[in-house]
Amino acid sequence: MEIIKIERKVLAKNDAIASEIRGKFEENGVFAINMVSSPGSGKTSLVEKIIEYFSGRVNISVIEGDVQTDLDAQRVSAYNVPVVQIITNGGCHLEANLVNDSLKNLDLVQTDLLIIENVGNLVCPAGYDLGEDMKVVVISVTEGDDKPLKYPKMFINSKVLVINKIDLLPYVNCNIEQLKQNALKINPALQVFEVSCTSGEGVGKFCDFLESSI
Amino acid sequence: MHELSLAQNIIETVKQNVTADELTKVREVIVEVGAFSGVVADSLKFSFEAITSGTELNDAVMTIVDIPFCLKCNDCGNETSTEIPMLLCSICGSSNTQILSGDELRVKELKIAEE
C-alpha cells in the first residue's frame, strides 16, 4: 500500500472561513460574541436584556441560529436592532459559512457589538469557530450544577460563563457554588457572571464587562 | 450529532489529495480523534460508510486513532490525563497549564492500493 500523508484538520475549511470573518470584524471594529447553551437556558432573553441595557449607546446587531422558525428573530426585531435569522433545517450548530453568508444582510460599519446566538446545544457548537472574539456559555440553574463536568468542551472553549435564572435558586436542586467550582475546574480562566433575565439582577455587571471588551 | 457533515469534510479532503485514478484505490482513511473533540467515533465511521457506499470510495474504510486527553502543568511539571478533560492541574491545583493533546480531529493519512 502506498501511504499519502495528509495531516489536515477536518474543520480546516470552517476555520479558514472563520479567519476571513474575523478579518471583516477587525476591519469594521466589530466585537463579536458567540452565545452558546442548551435549549431553554435563556440566550434570547439575555440578548434582549443586553439590547435594553445598551439602548442608544452601543450599536448592536444580532444573528439568530435555530433549527426551525424565525421566532427568535421576531422577538429581537421588536427592539429595533438589525437581526438576521439562520435556520439550519436540522443542523445542530452554526458553521462559519452560514455566518459569513448572513453578514451580507448586516451593516458591519454600523455595528459595535455583534451577538451570534447559536443553536441551543451544549455539544456541537463547541467545535466550530465562527470568527467570534469570544464564546459566552449560558447555563441556567434549572439545568443542575453538574453540566460543566458533563459537557466539558463547551466550557473549555468559552471565555465567559453566564449563570442565568438565579431568581429560581430557592426552588431548584442546584448548588450554585458547586456549579461554579465544577466550571472553574474544567476551565479556571472562565469569567463568571450570575444573572436573572427575569428580575434583571446581575445583567448590568455582565453588560459592563462586555462594554469594557468592545 | 454532526458526524455526517464531518464525514463529508473528510471525503472532500481525500478528494483534494488524490488523483481521479487514485480515488477508487483508496483503501483506508486514517483519522485522529481526540478524547474531547466532541466526536463519536462510531457515528463518524457509520456516516463515512453510509455516504461512500456505491461511490468511488466504496472500498475505503475509515480507521479511527483515539488520542487521549493530556495536560501539562507549567508549575509542577506533571503531565496528566483525567477522564474528564479539565484545565486545572489534578496534582497541584494550578491553573497554569496547557493542553498537549485531546482536541484533535484530523485526517492523518490515506492508504492507496498499488497496481
Side-chain angles (χ1 to χ4, degrees):
Chain A
M1 290 260 197
E2 183 198 346
I3 292 177
I4 299 181
K5 289 266 174 215
I6 310 266
E7 303 288 355
R8 186 172 197 262
K9 282 175 78 178
V10 173
L11 292 176
K13 195 174 156 193
N14 183 80
D15 291 351
I17 299 171
S19 296
E20 191 189 317
I21 294 172
R22 196 162 276 119
K24 289 181 190 174
F25 290 163
E26 272 170 26
E27 204 180 299
N28 292 290
V30 175
F31 183 78
I33 62 173
N34 178 359
M35 211 185 266
V36 290
S37 82
S38 327
S41 299
K43 290 187 297 303
T44 313
S45 297
L46 189 57
V47 171
E48 291 174 316
K49 287 288 164 192
I50 295 170
I51 296 169
E52 276 177 9
Y53 189 83
F54 287 131
S55 174
R57 288 196 295 129
V58 174
N59 293 320
I60 297 177
S61 297
V62 179
I63 295 175
E64 286 289 344
D66 278 292
V67 172
Q68 266 317 335
T69 81
D70 64 351
L71 291 171
D72 282 356
Q74 287 180 36
R75 268 175 71 178
V76 171
S77 64
Y79 292 81
N80 291 317
V81 296
V83 55
V84 180
Q85 177 78 51
I86 299 174
I87 296 172
T88 63
N89 276 314
C92 51
H93 58 275
L94 292 180
E95 296 192 10
N97 65 324
L98 296 174
V99 172
N100 204 24
D101 286 348
S102 69
L103 291 181
K104 290 171 195 146
N105 300 314
L106 290 173
D107 185 356
L108 291 183
V109 179
Q110 293 298 323
T111 302
D112 304 317
L113 172 64
L114 174 68
I115 306 172
I116 304 168
E117 185 187 333
N118 217 310
V119 176
N121 178 341
L122 217 41
V123 183
C124 309
Y128 289 82
D129 184 4
L130 304 180
E132 73 273 2
D133 290 285
M134 58 169 71
K135 280 191 175 70
V136 174
V137 57
V138 182
I139 187 168
S140 56
V141 298
T142 54
E143 293 162 55
D145 46 43
D146 56 358
K147 290 302 167 288
L149 302 179
K150 289 185 171 178
Y151 302 91
K153 186 173 182 169
M154 194 62 96
F155 292 82
I156 285 178
N157 288 358
S158 296
K159 276 200 175 145
V160 175
L161 165 64
V162 175
I163 303 172
N164 189 23
K165 307 190 189 177
I166 55 168
D167 54 304
L168 296 180
L169 273 172
Y171 313 105
V172 293
N173 185 19
C174 172
N175 179 335
I176 194 165
E177 291 310 317
Q178 186 67 55
L179 170 56
K180 285 193 276 187
Q181 206 181 328
N182 286 341
L184 292 171
K185 223 189 300 181
I186 299 294
N187 181 0
L190 272 176
Q191 293 249 20
V192 184
F193 295 91
E194 299 171 29
V195 310
S196 162
C197 289
T198 303
S199 71
E201 190 184 345
V203 171
K205 257 191 193 167
F206 171 59
C207 288
D208 289 343
F209 163 78
L210 280 183
E211 194 167 12
S212 70
S213 309
I214 294 173
Chain B
M1 170 54 192
H2 53 284
E3 280 75 3
L4 192 60
S5 77
L6 294 176
Q8 280 162 339
N9 276 295
I10 290 168
I11 290 165
E12 215 173 289
T13 301
V14 171
K15 287 181 176 170
Q16 283 165 358
N17 283 277
V18 297
T19 62
D21 181 46
E22 284 171 327
L23 192 57
T24 53
K25 295 178 194 154
V26 176
R27 294 291 175 267
E28 197 174 347
V29 178
I30 300 169
V31 180
E32 292 178 322
V33 176
F36 77 102
S37 61
V39 170
V40 182
D42 284 346
S43 300
L44 188 60
K45 280 184 79 162
F46 176 82
S47 301
F48 181 81
E49 281 166 25
I51 55 178
T52 54
S53 170
T55 72
E56 302 99 315
L57 285 168
N58 189 60
D59 296 330
V61 294
M62 178 183 280
T63 301
I64 306 271
V65 179
D66 293 314
I67 311 280
F69 171 69
C70 187
L71 188 78
K72 183 180 166 59
C73 177
N74 295 326
D75 284 338
C76 74
N78 283 295
E79 288 179 17
T80 50
S81 183
T82 46
E83 197 186 337
I84 298 172
M86 48 179 80
L87 305 187
L88 200 65
C89 174
S90 58
I91 294 182
C92 75
S94 168
S95 56
N96 181 16
T97 58
Q98 64 189 95
I99 295 171
L100 294 184
S101 69
D103 62 351
E104 295 81 0
L105 184 53
R106 197 162 50 201
V107 182
K108 189 172 189 289
E109 58 191 31
L110 309 176
K111 287 189 182 164
I112 315 281
E114 290 172 63
E115 296 293 333

